Amino acid sequence: MIDPATAPLAALILRLCLGIMFIAHAMLKWRVFTLPGTIAFFKSLGLPGWFAHVTITVELVGAAGLILGVCPRYVALLLIPLIL
């Protein structure tokens, strides 16, 4: 059974963890693999190179939305394609 007293805290913790995960993935693409390396990887998958910029931007903006709690349900739904 869900405890109404602790459910908001659990949702906050889950939002923060998911936001931190997206920040970590964006920073991995940007700082470790570097932008040219990420673009080359995307091209090797058959995706356009500019899609790397879009992916990193969406990950960072989505993470900020989750952490700040700006429409977190919709932000999480919009981030599902990046997870898949």
Side-chain angles (χ1 to χ4, degrees):
M1 183 163 175
I2 297 174
D3 183 14
T6 58
L9 179 62
L12 172 69
I13 292 170
L14 289 171
R15 272 194 358 249
L16 292 176
C17 289
L18 191 60
I20 291 169
M21 182 203 70
F22 275 109
I23 288 174
H25 282 166
M27 291 294 109
L28 178 73
K29 289 177 184 75
W30 185 36
R31 306 283 308 259
V32 176
F33 299 142
T34 69
L35 204 49
T38 304
I39 290 171
F41 175 70
F42 275 46
K43 285 182 178 179
S44 74
L45 294 176
L47 297 169
W50 57 267
F51 199 64
H53 298 283
V54 173
T55 302
I56 292 171
T57 303
V58 169
E59 285 179 341
L60 289 174
V61 171
L66 286 173
I67 290 172
L68 296 175
V70 179
C71 299
R73 290 181 183 185
Y74 299 119
V75 171
L77 283 174
L78 291 173
L79 290 173
I80 286 176
L82 290 178
I83 297 173
L84 295 177

